[in-house]
Amino acid sequence: MQWPTHEVTNQVPELQDYNLFSSDVALSAGLRRGAGGWHEENLRRFGATLGSEDVLRLGELANHHLPELNTHDRVGRRVDRVEFHPSWHALLGLLRHEGLHSLPWSDPRPGAHVARAAGYFLQSQVESGSLCPTTMTFASIPVLQNEPRLFAVLRDKLYSREHDPRDLPLEQKKSILIGMGMTEKQGGSDVRTNTTTARPLGGEGRGAEYLLTGHKWFFSAPMCDAHLVLARTEGGLSCFFVPRWRPDGSKNAILVQRLKDKLGNRSNSSSEVEFQDAYGVMVGDEGRGIPTIIEMANHTRLDCVIGSAGLMRQAFVQAAHHARHRKVFGRTLAEQPLMRNVLSDMALESEAATVLMLRLAQAFESPTDPLERAWRRVVTPAAKFWICKRALEFTGECMEVWGGNGYVETGPMARLYREAPVNSIWEGSGNVMCLDVLRAIERETEGFLMLLDHFSEVANGHATLSGLVSSLRKDLATPPEQREMLARRFAQRLVLAAQACLMLQSAPADVAEAFITSRVDAESGRVYGTLSATAMQQAILERAWPAQQT
């Protein structure tokens, strides 16, 4: 027998059945600015789908029922197959249906990169693990397009909007996913230390068939239909297209040793593998494996920025929703002056991350323009460094708004927090990104100076921002022996200058001013909730999360 001991009150209702796109003013305005307005109705429909109770539940299920590795079938044959919960395939089906794996390539038109970034940003708020194979497939397409004979076979399967979960040879699939296999035990980011070898099966060089022997310490995701892999030939480190199945229909000799037991991104399977004369086709010129992969990395790094910005947006709306319902000391949390300061500060951070990721996506529209190339080649690694690191602090702060309710796995905050670190690590950690910024400036000096001129033009008449841009110019004269040591400091200021300029161009003047003042003001520090002006806080919150959403 049971009897009531208390009445459940002051608990916050689930945030569900809302439109992720329509409720995001900065995203919809940025889409139109980036010439992606033609995709707005699709994103509005997609935003409603993603905010539904059923789809939000898919994200929970995919992270509760983790992938399972079966190395052999019941009679002892080697299969190396990873089994997923149906929710995983449903999420991949959503991504595929929206074209987030290929949109700018399969439907090339002005604003396609921005439209795709906006959709990716929306789905990242629901579930992050399913984004990994989507990103790798997306980034592989421009690399594979440079191999006409191979691409002709793969094109329709890469562009297909239908998810095909079957483990079959390529020619039998309706659609395919592409993964990556770069890092090895001894090297990590230093892929030049790779020891995996490739020996020619017949001819040699680009487009020829090889057999690979060696290992990969991180192989994501093993159930992709093929992977781009680095291995050594006599001509040096080269790139190979390695399918799960050989052309003769037999399983390729890619042996999955185990799945990684990861902190976050748990719905996605990452693995350790060994190659025992695994079949592969050389992609790109022999000995040019790293430059071949760099083109892919530029896209994957942007997706890290988009994904982190999406995590920040979702963490913020969860925190704002909670604060408008939870009462403490006679008032809702959102009515408490200090909490309002924290929330409005985080709203600024989230909007600045959103407008930056959209601007970077726009830069991919114009591959030959030197200014756009500077945005793409210099600012993207700086943004990956800064936005991904800010997401770590940001999701932790949003969890704190929920208090103890945020620290348990029955709510969304713990998963958002666990997801945040991966984007800082994947495709190059913070130091790697900052050093890449310096290398990019050396190679794209003219474009970078054009970028600083652009910042100066936007900042004209704004003393605080003009001072920040001037400091970046002075940094160019830093002696080489000091430049590397100060790389993080430089990358941080570069991103803040870019965000400040974008906020001046896109946000209401008072909102932009609140961002610039708080980010350049040394007294503000790095914790949220230190805004000095109070007049704009309610307007900032209303812009970020309108009251009618609650």
Side-chain angles (χ1 to χ4, degrees):
M1 297 290 294
Q2 291 184 337
W3 62 90
T5 61
H6 64 286
E7 181 182 356
V8 178
T9 61
N10 199 26
Q11 287 290 321
V12 176
E14 296 280 348
L15 177 57
Q16 59 191 25
D17 295 324
Y18 75 106
N19 192 310
L20 276 70
F21 178 78
S22 299
S23 59
D24 194 334
V25 173
L27 181 66
S28 56
L31 176 75
R32 292 188 290 271
R33 264 194 323 276
W38 52 268
H39 201 54
E40 188 165 354
E41 286 305 312
N42 285 332
L43 289 171
R44 185 171 289 108
R45 171 192 49 77
F46 189 41
T49 298
L50 291 174
S52 67
E53 179 182 1
D54 289 345
V55 173
L56 292 172
R57 179 64 175 155
L58 291 177
E60 296 174 7
L61 289 170
N63 284 271
H64 180 73
H65 301 281
L66 304 186
E68 296 183 359
L69 171 63
N70 295 308
T71 56
H72 297 77
D73 66 12
R74 67 180 183 83
V75 297
R77 286 186 292 259
R78 187 94 196 200
V79 292
D80 296 281
R81 184 177 296 127
V82 181
E83 301 291 344
F84 294 88
H85 189 266
S87 57
W88 166 263
H89 293 297
L91 290 164
L92 282 175
L94 283 172
L95 285 158
R96 197 99 196 186
H97 183 266
E98 297 303 318
L100 301 183
H101 66 294
S102 68
L103 184 62
W105 322 123
S106 58
D107 188 12
R109 62 167 108 172
H113 279 280
V114 176
R116 186 260 176 185
Y120 189 99
F121 174 83
L122 293 176
Q123 180 128 355
S124 69
Q125 298 179 49
V126 173
E127 207 286 312
S128 293
S130 53
L131 298 175
C132 178
T134 304
T135 284
M136 293 185 294
T137 302
F138 174 73
S140 74
I141 291 175
V143 174
L144 295 171
Q145 283 176 332
N146 293 326
E147 309 299 324
R149 188 171 64 179
L150 177 60
F151 189 72
V153 176
L154 304 177
R155 180 185 183 279
D156 291 345
K157 300 174 193 299
L158 285 168
Y159 289 169
S160 171
R161 298 259 182 133
E162 179 182 357
H163 172 56
D164 187 348
R166 299 174 300 165
D167 183 22
L168 294 171
L170 290 172
E171 61 271 14
Q172 299 179 38
K173 296 290 294 287
K174 297 177 181 178
S175 65
I176 58 175
L177 292 170
I178 308 296
M180 294 173 67
M182 302 295 124
T183 60
E184 298 181 2
K185 294 181 177 74
Q186 70 282 352
S189 296
D190 186 6
V191 295
R192 289 175 176 82
T193 66
N194 282 10
T195 60
T196 296
T197 59
R199 57 184 177 86
L201 188 56
E204 295 185 36
R206 192 169 193 159
E209 298 175 317
Y210 285 75
L211 296 178
L212 280 66
T213 299
H215 82 284
K216 295 299 171 184
W217 186 231
F218 279 91
F219 194 73
S220 297
M223 286 310 295
C224 286
D225 298 284
H227 290 76
L228 291 179
V229 172
L230 290 179
R232 291 195 174 279
T233 64
E234 289 187 2
L237 202 60
S238 304
C239 182
F240 294 88
F241 176 86
V242 181
R244 266 188 63 78
W245 297 82
R246 294 173 180 264
D248 63 5
S250 63
K251 183 188 173 297
N252 206 357
I254 307 166
L255 308 184
V256 181
Q257 303 303 300
R258 62 175 175 174
L259 300 185
K260 295 290 191 181
D261 187 5
K262 297 175 293 184
L263 167 69
N265 209 246
R266 298 177 71 83
S267 68
N268 176 49
S269 61
S270 301
S271 63
E272 301 168 22
V273 302
E274 292 185 356
F275 304 129
Q276 295 183 357
D277 276 352
Y279 170 87
V281 176
M282 185 179 289
V283 172
D285 292 329
E286 184 170 8
R288 299 286 294 169
I290 294 176
T292 299
I293 289 299
I294 285 296
E295 183 175 1
M296 193 172 177
N298 287 334
H299 291 287
T300 55
R301 287 171 178 178
L302 174 59
D303 276 7
C304 289
V305 177
I306 302 170
S308 290
L311 287 174
M312 292 166 71
R313 172 64 184 177
Q314 180 59 199
F316 168 76
V317 299
Q318 291 286 352
H321 174 77
H322 181 90
R324 284 185 176 156
H325 287 86
R326 183 77 166 178
K327 288 187 176 179
V328 179
F329 307 126
R331 290 187 291 178
T332 63
L333 280 170
E335 295 172 314
Q336 309 281 348
L338 185 53
M339 180 58 75
R340 192 163 57 243
N341 195 329
V342 171
L343 291 172
S344 56
D345 202 357
M346 291 194 295
L348 292 173
E349 188 77 17
S350 177
E351 179 167 352
T354 300
V355 296
L356 179 58
M357 69 91 178
L358 289 173
R359 182 61 185 86
L360 292 174
Q362 184 181 345
F364 282 78
E365 303 274 349
S366 306
T368 59
D369 184 290
L371 176 59
E372 297 304 305
R373 184 174 172 82
W375 276 101
R376 187 170 67 252
R377 188 64 191 89
V378 180
V379 183
T380 296
K384 182 188 179 303
F385 160 70
W386 183 245
I387 301 299
C388 297
K389 285 207 178 300
R390 292 298 272 173
L392 280 160
E393 297 175 81
F394 193 98
T395 52
E397 192 73 63
C398 291
M399 179 189 291
E400 193 171 321
V401 172
W402 276 50
N405 287 336
Y407 198 66
V408 294
E409 295 288 351
T410 49
M413 305 307 285
R415 175 155 58 94
L416 293 173
Y417 184 69
R418 283 188 284 102
E419 290 290 358
V422 68
N423 286 329
S424 270
I425 298 170
W426 189 42
E427 294 299 343
S429 56
N431 284 356
V432 174
M433 289 300 98
C434 292
L435 294 175
D436 193 43
V437 170
L438 298 183
R439 282 192 296 269
I441 290 172
E442 290 177 359
R443 295 170 182 170
E444 309 284 344
T445 304
E446 179 185 357
F448 183 65
L449 292 175
M450 292 176 65
L451 183 67
L452 292 184
D453 289 341
H454 171 68
F455 289 168
S456 295
E457 182 179 342
V458 175
N460 185 34
H462 195 291
T464 302
L465 181 52
S466 294
L468 178 58
V469 176
S470 295
S471 72
L472 290 172
R473 292 187 187 276
K474 292 177 182 177
D475 286 339
L476 293 178
T478 304
E481 62 271 15
Q482 296 183 27
R483 200 172 297 155
E484 180 175 328
M485 180 189 69
L486 299 173
R488 284 189 173 218
R489 179 182 175 88
F490 178 81
Q492 173 181 326
R493 291 212 300 262
L494 174 60
V495 174
L496 290 176
Q499 288 181 313
C501 289
L502 292 170
M503 291 290 279
L504 273 179
Q505 293 175 310
S506 63
D510 289 342
V511 173
E513 185 61 33
F515 176 84
I516 295 169
T517 302
S518 59
R519 270 54 185 176
V520 180
D521 181 3
E523 294 182 2
S524 294
R526 289 186 61 182
V527 297
Y528 296 103
T530 57
L531 297 179
S532 57
T534 59
M536 277 299 297
Q537 289 177 10
Q538 191 57 41
I540 291 170
L541 286 176
E542 188 61 26
R543 173 179 170 79
W545 185 240
Q548 63 264 31
Q549 296 297 328
T550 301

